[in-house]
Amino acid sequence: MSYEGSSAVVNGRQNGRPTLEQVAARAGVGRGTVSRVINGSPRVSEQTRTAVARAVAELGYVPNQAARALAGSRTDAIALVIPEAEARLFAEPYFLDLIRGVSAELADADKQLLLTLVRSEQERQRFEQYLAAQRVDGVLLASVHGDDPLPDRIRELGLPVVMNGRRSEAEPVPYVDSDNIGAGRAAVAHLVGGGRSRIATVTGPLDMYVARARLGGYRAGLAEAGHAPDEALVSAGDFTEEGGRRAMRLLLDRRPDLDAVFVASDVMAAGARGVLREAGRRVPEDVALVGVDDSAVARLMDPPLTSVRQPIEEMGRTMARMLIREIHGIQEGGEASEEPRRHVLPTELIVRESC
Amino acid sequence: MSYEGSSAVVNGRQNGRPTLEQVAARAGVGRGTVSRVINGSPRVSEQTRTAVARAVAELGYVPNQAARALAGSRTDAIALVIPEAEARLFAEPYFLDLIRGVSAELADADKQLLLTLVRSEQERQRFEQYLAAQRVDGVLLASVHGDDPLPDRIRELGLPVVMNGRRSEAEPVPYVDSDNIGAGRAAVAHLVGGGRSRIATVTGPLDMYVARARLGGYRAGLAEAGHAPDEALVSAGDFTEEGGRRAMRLLLDRRPDLDAVFVASDVMAAGARGVLREAGRRVPEDVALVGVDDSAVARLMDPPLTSVRQPIEEMGRTMARMLIREIHGIQEGGEASEEPRRHVLPTELIVRESC
DNA sequence: AACTAGTGTGGGAGCGCTCCCATTGCCATA
DNA sequence: TATGGCAATGGGAGCGCTCCCACACTAGTT
């Protein structure tokens, strides 16, 4: 079948991949010594190390991961969990960028990435099973809703967790978030600076902290500029294009005199932009627009959309780094060095022609 | 140290997770029997099965994956490899859709997805190491270039592989592709049907089969419509927006009288559209445009872009399904049922206002 | 009554590592 | 010369499964 041909007489192995034992035999040392060399223990003489290294190279030895995991009870793999529903909502590149960041950091640490898209409640339960099967050393959680019990569940299993975003202001689980309040504030400041005074906002779904934070930033921005709050200028969307359309129509109904909108995502901004066009409003002459995400959508809109950029890939990297540290903390037993368990990364306003 | 705590008297386990042995003890049967029940062997009496199931439930037993992998030499995980460079080029949603399809199919088969973004030659080698460590039962490969040796390398390791796309017409490795020739043909047919006669094309990088196939479809479409081929109407891009711009400028230089362009990707079409605007050509009045991918970009362009849709998620599912079958073929030893090793899924023209 | 042919079932023998306890040899110290 | 200490090493004892052989036990044959 797909077995080895008659190839290797060269090396001592007969079939399948060589084992530690075979490497040891070839190098003329014991199993323990080979293990030490493989794992970089300092307690090996230079001479022995070289001999073992040669045997490893000659046999093309690669340690069997399952055996390592079983004997050492660590898998060198982590799981990244993404709720499928959200994967569709978010500006498309979001999760890919996040994955990219996580993946880069894990590669540097020589760990593997297990990607889990969770589609349904049933699959979520299967995922918990799977954690219990001790396949991973830790978990990264993306896009968690306000009432999600999963993070706590995982911690109960004794697994380290880091989330992307938080469920509330006082999040007990370690997380990496972007400065969503700062995002709203910067957007409003820019609009105010451009001479706008009747600034509305289309928010995300308010059961998500990220949406509340951006709204909070918007309010803070207005306050700082000395504008009175006006709830008629606030309309809730749901991060979809259609939601953006609906919210924009509502705003136009309620306050036809608005002259700017801070939309909490680029995708919703695309919807809003369509409604404005239908209503005969010009962008940016009549109404200025600012989005969030700085996605491809923003660049391609007509006019190109000013948008608040989040350092998504960097968030991914940071999450992975935090998780790895925590895992090491547990494995080495060295009491967790109590480093910051929450990171809020800065956002940046990318100015384009929409305001 | 980690020996019996005083904890759970409720169930038989002492600390950490329960083992097969403990389940066996509780159910009053042997290890082998529990294993049979867990793995759904028919050779167990109904009565015993029930008793074991109860013990499993009571203890909250979940089999340890590492032990299973070691003893059974299968991991129930597969790797999906995506070259990072391509991840940036392709219309953004592509890989996410692919991942979605793969993930869905794997979830149904209760297998895990290991995602590997390959950034550099160094990382590619690490990936081979990693395959040798027997972490996965098979490999899914996305976006393979014409001269990529990786697919063959993996097969030499005795691992099943399925690719997304192919390296050449006569691809020996099993693959799933979309009908790129049909895509080009359909686009041209549509343009011809709209009364266009000087139809140009912007191709992808011609070292990729996908680019050659779309070009082939374009030519076939012209031939079928009775148009003579004209190499001045063909310009090579590289799947980037900037590449699309360059190629479009070249075309406009060479054949200012062109009245339609089939662009081999939406992203390049966005670039081309910009150049056309700068040149004072209206879309679709002066020049009709057709892209490929039916991405968000296409929907958001002004005017919205007619584009050929590929069933990306379906490709992902199909790939996963093929791979799983092949893995079973090997594991059950049942000689590979010699089912089709190549699938070409149909594409679909999505007509919008750009032509 | 002695046989065959199944079913169910128990449990030994690994799978290929890591962990850790011995053991060896060597040098510095008493 | 005896003694302790330490670096380097070997290898036993698992880790928690799957595989498979052996052994009951039943029931249907001759």
Side-chain angles (χ1 to χ4, degrees), chain B residues 28-33 36 43-45 48 70-71:
Chain B
V29 299
R31 250 173 34 249
T33 302
R36 263 166 239 134
R43 313 210 133 307
V44 182
S45 73
T48 309
L70 182 57

Side-chain angles (χ1 to χ4, degrees), chain B residues 62-338:
Chain B
V62 178
N64 177 308
Q65 178 51 33
R68 275 190 136 163
L70 182 57
S73 52
R74 68 208 177 83
T75 62
D76 288 334
I78 69 104
L80 171 58
V81 184
I82 298 180
E84 149 97 343
E86 265 74 25
R88 294 186 183 275
L89 284 189
F90 277 46
E92 286 293 1
Y94 190 92
F95 287 110
L96 211 47
D97 283 352
L98 196 69
I99 291 172
R100 197 175 269 143
V102 170
S103 161
E105 197 67 32
L106 290 183
D108 290 349
D110 217 356
K111 301 220 178 298
Q112 296 308 320
L113 172 59
L114 259 138
L115 186 67
T116 315
L117 255 47
V118 183
R119 250 158 297 266
S120 60
E121 187 47 36
Q122 190 208 0
E123 280 193 21
R124 246 199 51 169
Q125 299 198 345
R126 193 143 49 167
F127 176 69
E128 286 188 43
Q129 287 280 305
Y130 154 89
L131 290 180
Q134 307 174 58
R135 271 179 184 262
V136 294
D137 296 335
V139 182
L140 257 24
L141 243 35
S143 175
V144 187
H145 272 264
D147 54 350
D148 199 329
L150 188 56
D152 307 297
R153 278 290 220 358
I154 300 174
R155 302 200 90 185
E156 282 163 24
L157 281 170
L159 276 177
V161 193
V162 174
M163 301 192 310
N164 178 30
R166 44 190 144 162
R167 293 168 295 177
S168 69
E169 182 62 37
E171 175 61 64
V173 175
Y175 63 82
V176 177
D177 202 356
S178 60
D179 180 9
N180 287 302
I181 296 181
R185 187 184 270 142
V188 170
H190 181 69
L191 290 168
V192 167
R196 313 285 172 164
S197 55
R198 292 173 303 282
I199 303 171
T201 187
V202 173
T203 74
L206 293 174
D207 66 319
M208 292 183 76
Y209 173 78
V210 53
R212 293 200 301 278
R214 286 175 191 170
L215 174 57
Y218 159 84
R219 287 187 172 135
L222 286 184
E224 281 158 20
H227 289 52
D230 178 351
E231 287 309 309
L233 287 171
V234 175
S235 180
D238 56 5
F239 282 145
T240 69
E241 188 174 339
E242 182 48 33
R245 301 183 71 87
R246 276 197 303 269
M248 191 67 234
R249 278 196 211 99
L250 209 64
L251 286 175
L252 239 25
D253 271 5
R254 293 203 295 227
R255 296 293 302 263
D257 61 333
L258 60 81
D259 61 5
V261 189
F262 165 56
V263 188
S265 86
D266 287 353
V267 173
M268 289 197 296
R273 201 263 168 276
V275 169
L276 287 170
R277 182 180 284 134
E278 288 156 20
R281 311 291 177 108
R282 290 166 305 165
V283 176
E285 293 83 349
D286 303 325
V287 178
L289 228 44
V290 178
V292 180
D293 275 346
D294 185 36
S295 60
V297 173
R299 282 192 302 282
L300 288 161
M301 260 170 70
D302 174 40
L305 180 71
T306 292
S307 187
V308 182
R309 199 183 86 83
Q310 308 183 62
I312 306 175
E313 188 166 338
E314 185 54 34
M315 287 200 277
R317 296 192 80 110
T318 307
M319 289 170 70
R321 217 176 300 130
M322 284 171 71
L323 187 65
I324 289 173
R325 288 225 189 90
E326 200 161 342
I327 289 169
H328 281 164
I330 289 178
Q331 284 173 355
E332 257 77 86
E335 194 45 57
S337 50
E338 231 27 270

